[in-house]
Amino acid sequence: MPDLAAYAGLFLAALVAATLLPAQSELLLVSLHRAGGYSDVLLILAATLGNVAGSASNWALGRFLMRFQDRRWFPASPAMVARATRWFQRFGVWSLLMAWLPVIGDPLTLVAGILRVDWRLFLFLVTLGKAGRYIALIVASNHYQ
């Protein structure tokens, strides 16, 4: 049985990667997949759940803590929020399917909270986009092995 710590580590890496803090989970996912002995389904599940949990924390930050945006510790700059807001206004709630994108994805989830996007729709769209990205990484890793 593979080391459960690897799945937990992937979950945590994906969680941090989805917050406004800089981190990467894709390399760890592909490395574990290529190492063998790990279930692709469990790898995708751990990465997706962690990444969605991180995005949910961004949503909550936007929904409940934006009044602190002028504080030094607040993780999103005004420019970052403005850029994500423009993207969100242009493409609407469907932009959450792109929450996996570097640079713009995490702020999009923050803006979704600011704009009070329904929690259930938020989770559905973000989960769909993030799971799709991790599935694509596994498929691409198989193709280029």
Side-chain angles (χ1 to χ4, degrees), residues 54-86:
S55 292
S57 71
N58 293 340
W59 182 94
L61 187 66
R63 174 72 175 83
F64 301 110
L65 297 177
M66 275 307 287
R67 66 178 174 262
F68 299 112
Q69 68 181 333
D70 60 338
R71 303 286 170 84
R72 180 181 231 178
W73 55 263
F74 196 78
S77 70
M80 186 185 288
V81 172
R83 184 174 46 236
T85 300
R86 285 191 303 275

PDB file of all heavy atoms in Angstrom, residues 54-86:
ATOM      1  N   GLY A  54      -8.320  25.305  -0.874  1.00  0.00           N
ATOM      2  CA  GLY A  54      -7.588  26.565  -0.916  1.00  0.00           C
ATOM      3  C   GLY A  54      -8.390  27.665  -1.595  1.00  0.00           C
ATOM      4  O   GLY A  54      -8.416  28.808  -1.127  1.00  0.00           O
ATOM      5  N   SER A  55      -9.052  27.323  -2.682  1.00  0.00           N
ATOM      6  CA  SER A  55      -9.900  28.294  -3.373  1.00  0.00           C
ATOM      7  C   SER A  55     -11.074  28.721  -2.501  1.00  0.00           C
ATOM      8  O   SER A  55     -11.479  29.885  -2.523  1.00  0.00           O
ATOM      9  CB  SER A  55     -10.424  27.707  -4.683  1.00  0.00           C
ATOM     10  OG  SER A  55      -9.361  27.541  -5.598  1.00  0.00           O
ATOM     11  N   ALA A  56     -11.609  27.779  -1.736  1.00  0.00           N
ATOM     12  CA  ALA A  56     -12.716  28.107  -0.824  1.00  0.00           C
ATOM     13  C   ALA A  56     -12.248  29.089   0.247  1.00  0.00           C
ATOM     14  O   ALA A  56     -13.015  29.976   0.662  1.00  0.00           O
ATOM     15  CB  ALA A  56     -13.270  26.833  -0.192  1.00  0.00           C
ATOM     16  N   SER A  57     -10.996  28.963   0.669  1.00  0.00           N
ATOM     17  CA  SER A  57     -10.485  29.927   1.653  1.00  0.00           C
ATOM     18  C   SER A  57     -10.375  31.314   1.023  1.00  0.00           C
ATOM     19  O   SER A  57     -10.639  32.319   1.685  1.00  0.00           O
ATOM     20  CB  SER A  57      -9.147  29.465   2.242  1.00  0.00           C
ATOM     21  OG  SER A  57      -8.115  29.554   1.297  1.00  0.00           O
ATOM     22  N   ASN A  58     -10.010  31.382  -0.259  1.00  0.00           N
ATOM     23  CA  ASN A  58      -9.995  32.671  -0.960  1.00  0.00           C
ATOM     24  C   ASN A  58     -11.398  33.259  -1.042  1.00  0.00           C
ATOM     25  O   ASN A  58     -11.595  34.457  -0.861  1.00  0.00           O
ATOM     26  CB  ASN A  58      -9.428  32.518  -2.372  1.00  0.00           C
ATOM     27  CG  ASN A  58      -7.976  32.159  -2.389  1.00  0.00           C
ATOM     28  OD1 ASN A  58      -7.255  32.364  -1.422  1.00  0.00           O
ATOM     29  ND2 ASN A  58      -7.528  31.591  -3.485  1.00  0.00           N
ATOM     30  N   TRP A  59     -12.378  32.417  -1.375  1.00  0.00           N
ATOM     31  CA  TRP A  59     -13.768  32.863  -1.450  1.00  0.00           C
ATOM     32  C   TRP A  59     -14.198  33.453  -0.105  1.00  0.00           C
ATOM     33  O   TRP A  59     -14.794  34.539  -0.056  1.00  0.00           O
ATOM     34  CB  TRP A  59     -14.683  31.697  -1.842  1.00  0.00           C
ATOM     35  CG  TRP A  59     -16.122  32.073  -1.994  1.00  0.00           C
ATOM     36  CD1 TRP A  59     -16.746  32.427  -3.158  1.00  0.00           C
ATOM     37  CD2 TRP A  59     -17.130  32.117  -0.973  1.00  0.00           C
ATOM     38  NE1 TRP A  59     -18.065  32.699  -2.905  1.00  0.00           N
ATOM     39  CE2 TRP A  59     -18.328  32.521  -1.578  1.00  0.00           C
ATOM     40  CE3 TRP A  59     -17.109  31.862   0.391  1.00  0.00           C
ATOM     41  CZ2 TRP A  59     -19.511  32.667  -0.859  1.00  0.00           C
ATOM     42  CZ3 TRP A  59     -18.290  32.015   1.112  1.00  0.00           C
ATOM     43  CH2 TRP A  59     -19.471  32.404   0.485  1.00  0.00           C
ATOM     44  N   ALA A  60     -13.883  32.743   0.975  1.00  0.00           N
ATOM     45  CA  ALA A  60     -14.255  33.220   2.314  1.00  0.00           C
ATOM     46  C   ALA A  60     -13.529  34.523   2.649  1.00  0.00           C
ATOM     47  O   ALA A  60     -14.120  35.431   3.249  1.00  0.00           O
ATOM     48  CB  ALA A  60     -13.945  32.150   3.362  1.00  0.00           C
ATOM     49  N   LEU A  61     -12.279  34.625   2.240  1.00  0.00           N
ATOM     50  CA  LEU A  61     -11.523  35.850   2.465  1.00  0.00           C
ATOM     51  C   LEU A  61     -12.212  37.021   1.762  1.00  0.00           C
ATOM     52  O   LEU A  61     -12.396  38.090   2.347  1.00  0.00           O
ATOM     53  CB  LEU A  61     -10.091  35.669   1.941  1.00  0.00           C
ATOM     54  CG  LEU A  61      -9.087  36.763   2.221  1.00  0.00           C
ATOM     55  CD1 LEU A  61      -8.795  36.865   3.711  1.00  0.00           C
ATOM     56  CD2 LEU A  61      -7.794  36.472   1.469  1.00  0.00           C
ATOM     57  N   GLY A  62     -12.597  36.810   0.522  1.00  0.00           N
ATOM     58  CA  GLY A  62     -13.300  37.851  -0.223  1.00  0.00           C
ATOM     59  C   GLY A  62     -14.670  38.156   0.350  1.00  0.00           C
ATOM     60  O   GLY A  62     -15.092  39.312   0.435  1.00  0.00           O
ATOM     61  N   ARG A  63     -15.355  37.150   0.766  1.00  0.00           N
ATOM     62  CA  ARG A  63     -16.720  37.310   1.284  1.00  0.00           C
ATOM     63  C   ARG A  63     -16.754  37.995   2.642  1.00  0.00           C
ATOM     64  O   ARG A  63     -17.608  38.843   2.887  1.00  0.00           O
ATOM     65  CB  ARG A  63     -17.380  35.930   1.378  1.00  0.00           C
ATOM     66  CG  ARG A  63     -18.730  35.878   2.027  1.00  0.00           C
ATOM     67  CD  ARG A  63     -19.790  36.501   1.131  1.00  0.00           C
ATOM     68  NE  ARG A  63     -21.111  36.357   1.686  1.00  0.00           N
ATOM     69  CZ  ARG A  63     -21.644  37.165   2.605  1.00  0.00           C
ATOM     70  NH1 ARG A  63     -20.943  38.175   3.075  1.00  0.00           N
ATOM     71  NH2 ARG A  63     -22.857  36.961   3.056  1.00  0.00           N
ATOM     72  N   PHE A  64     -15.822  37.650   3.512  1.00  0.00           N
ATOM     73  CA  PHE A  64     -15.923  38.099   4.895  1.00  0.00           C
ATOM     74  C   PHE A  64     -14.809  39.040   5.365  1.00  0.00           C
ATOM     75  O   PHE A  64     -14.976  39.693   6.393  1.00  0.00           O
ATOM     76  CB  PHE A  64     -15.974  36.888   5.833  1.00  0.00           C
ATOM     77  CG  PHE A  64     -17.124  35.973   5.541  1.00  0.00           C
ATOM     78  CD1 PHE A  64     -16.914  34.729   4.995  1.00  0.00           C
ATOM     79  CD2 PHE A  64     -18.425  36.375   5.810  1.00  0.00           C
ATOM     80  CE1 PHE A  64     -17.983  33.876   4.721  1.00  0.00           C
ATOM     81  CE2 PHE A  64     -19.498  35.536   5.535  1.00  0.00           C
ATOM     82  CZ  PHE A  64     -19.286  34.286   4.993  1.00  0.00           C
ATOM     83  N   LEU A  65     -13.683  39.106   4.657  1.00  0.00           N
ATOM     84  CA  LEU A  65     -12.547  39.856   5.197  1.00  0.00           C
ATOM     85  C   LEU A  65     -12.049  40.998   4.312  1.00  0.00           C
ATOM     86  O   LEU A  65     -11.018  41.588   4.610  1.00  0.00           O
ATOM     87  CB  LEU A  65     -11.385  38.903   5.493  1.00  0.00           C
ATOM     88  CG  LEU A  65     -11.668  37.841   6.547  1.00  0.00           C
ATOM     89  CD1 LEU A  65     -10.473  36.910   6.691  1.00  0.00           C
ATOM     90  CD2 LEU A  65     -12.013  38.460   7.886  1.00  0.00           C
ATOM     91  N   MET A  66     -12.750  41.330   3.240  1.00  0.00           N
ATOM     92  CA  MET A  66     -12.290  42.395   2.355  1.00  0.00           C
ATOM     93  C   MET A  66     -12.211  43.742   3.068  1.00  0.00           C
ATOM     94  O   MET A  66     -11.489  44.624   2.649  1.00  0.00           O
ATOM     95  CB  MET A  66     -13.176  42.510   1.114  1.00  0.00           C
ATOM     96  CG  MET A  66     -12.785  41.554   0.011  1.00  0.00           C
ATOM     97  SD  MET A  66     -11.037  41.616  -0.472  1.00  0.00           S
ATOM     98  CE  MET A  66     -10.970  43.161  -1.354  1.00  0.00           C
ATOM     99  N   ARG A  67     -12.932  43.894   4.145  1.00  0.00           N
ATOM    100  CA  ARG A  67     -12.872  45.166   4.869  1.00  0.00           C
ATOM    101  C   ARG A  67     -11.463  45.410   5.433  1.00  0.00           C
ATOM    102  O   ARG A  67     -11.130  46.512   5.827  1.00  0.00           O
ATOM    103  CB  ARG A  67     -13.917  45.208   5.972  1.00  0.00           C
ATOM    104  CG  ARG A  67     -13.683  44.207   7.082  1.00  0.00           C
ATOM    105  CD  ARG A  67     -14.749  44.365   8.168  1.00  0.00           C
ATOM    106  NE  ARG A  67     -14.625  43.346   9.163  1.00  0.00           N
ATOM    107  CZ  ARG A  67     -15.340  42.227   9.197  1.00  0.00           C
ATOM    108  NH1 ARG A  67     -16.255  42.012   8.283  1.00  0.00           N
ATOM    109  NH2 ARG A  67     -15.158  41.352  10.149  1.00  0.00           N
ATOM    110  N   PHE A  68     -10.625  44.362   5.425  1.00  0.00           N
ATOM    111  CA  PHE A  68      -9.251  44.486   5.910  1.00  0.00           C
ATOM    112  C   PHE A  68      -8.239  44.620   4.769  1.00  0.00           C
ATOM    113  O   PHE A  68      -7.040  44.507   4.989  1.00  0.00           O
ATOM    114  CB  PHE A  68      -8.878  43.269   6.764  1.00  0.00           C
ATOM    115  CG  PHE A  68      -9.734  43.108   7.986  1.00  0.00           C
ATOM    116  CD1 PHE A  68     -10.603  42.032   8.084  1.00  0.00           C
ATOM    117  CD2 PHE A  68      -9.686  44.030   9.014  1.00  0.00           C
ATOM    118  CE1 PHE A  68     -11.397  41.868   9.211  1.00  0.00           C
ATOM    119  CE2 PHE A  68     -10.478  43.886  10.141  1.00  0.00           C
ATOM    120  CZ  PHE A  68     -11.341  42.805  10.234  1.00  0.00           C
ATOM    121  N   GLN A  69      -8.709  44.867   3.552  1.00  0.00           N
ATOM    122  CA  GLN A  69      -7.810  44.882   2.395  1.00  0.00           C
ATOM    123  C   GLN A  69      -6.725  45.955   2.469  1.00  0.00           C
ATOM    124  O   GLN A  69      -5.700  45.831   1.809  1.00  0.00           O
ATOM    125  CB  GLN A  69      -8.598  45.016   1.106  1.00  0.00           C
ATOM    126  CG  GLN A  69      -9.280  46.354   0.922  1.00  0.00           C
ATOM    127  CD  GLN A  69     -10.057  46.396  -0.372  1.00  0.00           C
ATOM    128  OE1 GLN A  69      -9.735  45.698  -1.327  1.00  0.00           O
ATOM    129  NE2 GLN A  69     -11.087  47.214  -0.411  1.00  0.00           N
ATOM    130  N   ASP A  70      -6.918  46.975   3.281  1.00  0.00           N
ATOM    131  CA  ASP A  70      -5.895  48.008   3.398  1.00  0.00           C
ATOM    132  C   ASP A  70      -4.814  47.670   4.426  1.00  0.00           C
ATOM    133  O   ASP A  70      -3.839  48.393   4.577  1.00  0.00           O
ATOM    134  CB  ASP A  70      -6.531  49.354   3.743  1.00  0.00           C
ATOM    135  CG  ASP A  70      -7.289  49.317   5.058  1.00  0.00           C
ATOM    136  OD1 ASP A  70      -7.674  48.215   5.496  1.00  0.00           O
ATOM    137  OD2 ASP A  70      -7.514  50.394   5.645  1.00  0.00           O
ATOM    138  N   ARG A  71      -4.970  46.541   5.074  1.00  0.00           N
ATOM    139  CA  ARG A  71      -3.986  46.109   6.085  1.00  0.00           C
ATOM    140  C   ARG A  71      -2.771  45.494   5.406  1.00  0.00           C
ATOM    141  O   ARG A  71      -2.861  44.876   4.350  1.00  0.00           O
ATOM    142  CB  ARG A  71      -4.605  45.090   7.048  1.00  0.00           C
ATOM    143  CG  ARG A  71      -5.839  45.571   7.762  1.00  0.00           C
ATOM    144  CD  ARG A  71      -5.501  46.579   8.855  1.00  0.00           C
ATOM    145  NE  ARG A  71      -6.656  47.233   9.410  1.00  0.00           N
ATOM    146  CZ  ARG A  71      -7.427  46.762  10.365  1.00  0.00           C
ATOM    147  NH1 ARG A  71      -7.187  45.589  10.894  1.00  0.00           N
ATOM    148  NH2 ARG A  71      -8.460  47.456  10.797  1.00  0.00           N
ATOM    149  N   ARG A  72      -1.662  45.625   6.044  1.00  0.00           N
ATOM    150  CA  ARG A  72      -0.392  45.129   5.506  1.00  0.00           C
ATOM    151  C   ARG A  72      -0.404  43.607   5.301  1.00  0.00           C
ATOM    152  O   ARG A  72       0.193  43.092   4.353  1.00  0.00           O
ATOM    153  CB  ARG A  72       0.720  45.528   6.472  1.00  0.00           C
ATOM    154  CG  ARG A  72       2.058  45.086   6.058  1.00  0.00           C
ATOM    155  CD  ARG A  72       3.056  45.497   7.087  1.00  0.00           C
ATOM    156  NE  ARG A  72       4.131  46.182   6.393  1.00  0.00           N
ATOM    157  CZ  ARG A  72       5.148  46.714   6.976  1.00  0.00           C
ATOM    158  NH1 ARG A  72       5.237  46.707   8.283  1.00  0.00           N
ATOM    159  NH2 ARG A  72       6.097  47.282   6.292  1.00  0.00           N
ATOM    160  N   TRP A  73      -1.056  42.877   6.186  1.00  0.00           N
ATOM    161  CA  TRP A  73      -1.040  41.421   6.137  1.00  0.00           C
ATOM    162  C   TRP A  73      -1.985  40.847   5.079  1.00  0.00           C
ATOM    163  O   TRP A  73      -1.917  39.670   4.760  1.00  0.00           O
ATOM    164  CB  TRP A  73      -1.398  40.833   7.496  1.00  0.00           C
ATOM    165  CG  TRP A  73      -2.710  41.324   8.063  1.00  0.00           C
ATOM    166  CD1 TRP A  73      -2.871  42.329   8.970  1.00  0.00           C
ATOM    167  CD2 TRP A  73      -4.022  40.835   7.772  1.00  0.00           C
ATOM    168  NE1 TRP A  73      -4.207  42.502   9.250  1.00  0.00           N
ATOM    169  CE2 TRP A  73      -4.937  41.587   8.529  1.00  0.00           C
ATOM    170  CE3 TRP A  73      -4.518  39.828   6.944  1.00  0.00           C
ATOM    171  CZ2 TRP A  73      -6.307  41.394   8.481  1.00  0.00           C
ATOM    172  CZ3 TRP A  73      -5.898  39.630   6.899  1.00  0.00           C
ATOM    173  CH2 TRP A  73      -6.769  40.405   7.658  1.00  0.00           C
ATOM    174  N   PHE A  74      -2.871  41.666   4.520  1.00  0.00           N
ATOM    175  CA  PHE A  74      -3.851  41.148   3.554  1.00  0.00           C
ATOM    176  C   PHE A  74      -3.123  40.625   2.320  1.00  0.00           C
ATOM    177  O   PHE A  74      -2.279  41.313   1.751  1.00  0.00           O
ATOM    178  CB  PHE A  74      -4.851  42.244   3.169  1.00  0.00           C
ATOM    179  CG  PHE A  74      -6.085  41.708   2.510  1.00  0.00           C
ATOM    180  CD1 PHE A  74      -7.085  41.129   3.261  1.00  0.00           C
ATOM    181  CD2 PHE A  74      -6.229  41.768   1.132  1.00  0.00           C
ATOM    182  CE1 PHE A  74      -8.223  40.621   2.659  1.00  0.00           C
ATOM    183  CE2 PHE A  74      -7.364  41.264   0.526  1.00  0.00           C
ATOM    184  CZ  PHE A  74      -8.369  40.688   1.286  1.00  0.00           C
ATOM    185  N   PRO A  75      -3.417  39.392   1.890  1.00  0.00           N
ATOM    186  CA  PRO A  75      -2.585  38.739   0.872  1.00  0.00           C
ATOM    187  C   PRO A  75      -2.804  39.186  -0.575  1.00  0.00           C
ATOM    188  O   PRO A  75      -2.057  38.771  -1.446  1.00  0.00           O
ATOM    189  CB  PRO A  75      -2.944  37.258   1.036  1.00  0.00           C
ATOM    190  CG  PRO A  75      -4.316  37.268   1.574  1.00  0.00           C
ATOM    191  CD  PRO A  75      -4.411  38.497   2.448  1.00  0.00           C
ATOM    192  N   ALA A  76      -3.817  39.992  -0.857  1.00  0.00           N
ATOM    193  CA  ALA A  76      -4.071  40.398  -2.239  1.00  0.00           C
ATOM    194  C   ALA A  76      -3.892  41.906  -2.376  1.00  0.00           C
ATOM    195  O   ALA A  76      -4.484  42.676  -1.631  1.00  0.00           O
ATOM    196  CB  ALA A  76      -5.482  39.998  -2.650  1.00  0.00           C
ATOM    197  N   SER A  77      -3.103  42.291  -3.362  1.00  0.00           N
ATOM    198  CA  SER A  77      -2.896  43.714  -3.609  1.00  0.00           C
ATOM    199  C   SER A  77      -4.137  44.292  -4.294  1.00  0.00           C
ATOM    200  O   SER A  77      -4.885  43.560  -4.957  1.00  0.00           O
ATOM    201  CB  SER A  77      -1.676  43.923  -4.503  1.00  0.00           C
ATOM    202  OG  SER A  77      -1.955  43.473  -5.820  1.00  0.00           O
ATOM    203  N   PRO A  78      -4.348  45.586  -4.178  1.00  0.00           N
ATOM    204  CA  PRO A  78      -5.475  46.209  -4.889  1.00  0.00           C
ATOM    205  C   PRO A  78      -5.406  45.964  -6.398  1.00  0.00           C
ATOM    206  O   PRO A  78      -6.432  45.744  -7.043  1.00  0.00           O
ATOM    207  CB  PRO A  78      -5.337  47.698  -4.553  1.00  0.00           C
ATOM    208  CG  PRO A  78      -4.624  47.709  -3.236  1.00  0.00           C
ATOM    209  CD  PRO A  78      -3.672  46.539  -3.295  1.00  0.00           C
ATOM    210  N   ALA A  79      -4.202  45.981  -6.973  1.00  0.00           N
ATOM    211  CA  ALA A  79      -4.053  45.734  -8.413  1.00  0.00           C
ATOM    212  C   ALA A  79      -4.483  44.317  -8.778  1.00  0.00           C
ATOM    213  O   ALA A  79      -5.132  44.086  -9.808  1.00  0.00           O
ATOM    214  CB  ALA A  79      -2.613  45.974  -8.844  1.00  0.00           C
ATOM    215  N   MET A  80      -4.132  43.357  -7.935  1.00  0.00           N
ATOM    216  CA  MET A  80      -4.505  41.965  -8.164  1.00  0.00           C
ATOM    217  C   MET A  80      -6.033  41.814  -8.135  1.00  0.00           C
ATOM    218  O   MET A  80      -6.623  41.163  -9.003  1.00  0.00           O
ATOM    219  CB  MET A  80      -3.868  41.079  -7.086  1.00  0.00           C
ATOM    220  CG  MET A  80      -4.052  39.605  -7.278  1.00  0.00           C
ATOM    221  SD  MET A  80      -3.399  38.649  -5.878  1.00  0.00           S
ATOM    222  CE  MET A  80      -1.647  38.831  -6.127  1.00  0.00           C
ATOM    223  N   VAL A  81      -6.670  42.439  -7.163  1.00  0.00           N
ATOM    224  CA  VAL A  81      -8.128  42.374  -7.040  1.00  0.00           C
ATOM    225  C   VAL A  81      -8.788  43.060  -8.229  1.00  0.00           C
ATOM    226  O   VAL A  81      -9.755  42.544  -8.799  1.00  0.00           O
ATOM    227  CB  VAL A  81      -8.600  42.990  -5.696  1.00  0.00           C
ATOM    228  CG1 VAL A  81     -10.110  43.098  -5.648  1.00  0.00           C
ATOM    229  CG2 VAL A  81      -8.080  42.163  -4.529  1.00  0.00           C
ATOM    230  N   ALA A  82      -8.262  44.201  -8.646  1.00  0.00           N
ATOM    231  CA  ALA A  82      -8.830  44.933  -9.782  1.00  0.00           C
ATOM    232  C   ALA A  82      -8.741  44.120 -11.069  1.00  0.00           C
ATOM    233  O   ALA A  82      -9.707  44.048 -11.844  1.00  0.00           O
ATOM    234  CB  ALA A  82      -8.120  46.274  -9.944  1.00  0.00           C
ATOM    235  N   ARG A  83      -7.591  43.494 -11.310  1.00  0.00           N
ATOM    236  CA  ARG A  83      -7.404  42.677 -12.517  1.00  0.00           C
ATOM    237  C   ARG A  83      -8.381  41.498 -12.528  1.00  0.00           C
ATOM    238  O   ARG A  83      -9.020  41.210 -13.541  1.00  0.00           O
ATOM    239  CB  ARG A  83      -5.953  42.199 -12.595  1.00  0.00           C
ATOM    240  CG  ARG A  83      -5.638  41.428 -13.856  1.00  0.00           C
ATOM    241  CD  ARG A  83      -4.166  41.066 -14.000  1.00  0.00           C
ATOM    242  NE  ARG A  83      -3.584  40.533 -12.787  1.00  0.00           N
ATOM    243  CZ  ARG A  83      -2.522  41.037 -12.182  1.00  0.00           C
ATOM    244  NH1 ARG A  83      -1.902  42.090 -12.662  1.00  0.00           N
ATOM    245  NH2 ARG A  83      -2.046  40.480 -11.087  1.00  0.00           N
ATOM    246  N   ALA A  84      -8.515  40.821 -11.401  1.00  0.00           N
ATOM    247  CA  ALA A  84      -9.430  39.681 -11.322  1.00  0.00           C
ATOM    248  C   ALA A  84     -10.877  40.133 -11.458  1.00  0.00           C
ATOM    249  O   ALA A  84     -11.691  39.437 -12.075  1.00  0.00           O
ATOM    250  CB  ALA A  84      -9.222  38.935 -10.005  1.00  0.00           C
ATOM    251  N   THR A  85     -11.200  41.288 -10.908  1.00  0.00           N
ATOM    252  CA  THR A  85     -12.565  41.810 -11.022  1.00  0.00           C
ATOM    253  C   THR A  85     -12.909  42.095 -12.481  1.00  0.00           C
ATOM    254  O   THR A  85     -14.004  41.762 -12.949  1.00  0.00           O
ATOM    255  CB  THR A  85     -12.737  43.081 -10.160  1.00  0.00           C
ATOM    256  OG1 THR A  85     -12.464  42.747  -8.798  1.00  0.00           O
ATOM    257  CG2 THR A  85     -14.152  43.630 -10.263  1.00  0.00           C
ATOM    258  N   ARG A  86     -11.990  42.693 -13.212  1.00  0.00           N
ATOM    259  CA  ARG A  86     -12.231  42.959 -14.645  1.00  0.00           C
ATOM    260  C   ARG A  86     -12.445  41.651 -15.404  1.00  0.00           C
ATOM    261  O   ARG A  86     -13.351  41.543 -16.233  1.00  0.00           O
ATOM    262  CB  ARG A  86     -11.058  43.734 -15.249  1.00  0.00           C
ATOM    263  CG  ARG A  86     -11.036  45.191 -14.860  1.00  0.00           C
ATOM    264  CD  ARG A  86     -10.029  45.980 -15.678  1.00  0.00           C
ATOM    265  NE  ARG A  86      -8.657  45.478 -15.591  1.00  0.00           N
ATOM    266  CZ  ARG A  86      -7.793  45.811 -14.625  1.00  0.00           C
ATOM    267  NH1 ARG A  86      -8.158  46.633 -13.669  1.00  0.00           N
ATOM    268  NH2 ARG A  86      -6.568  45.314 -14.635  1.00  0.00           N
TER     269      ARG A  86
END
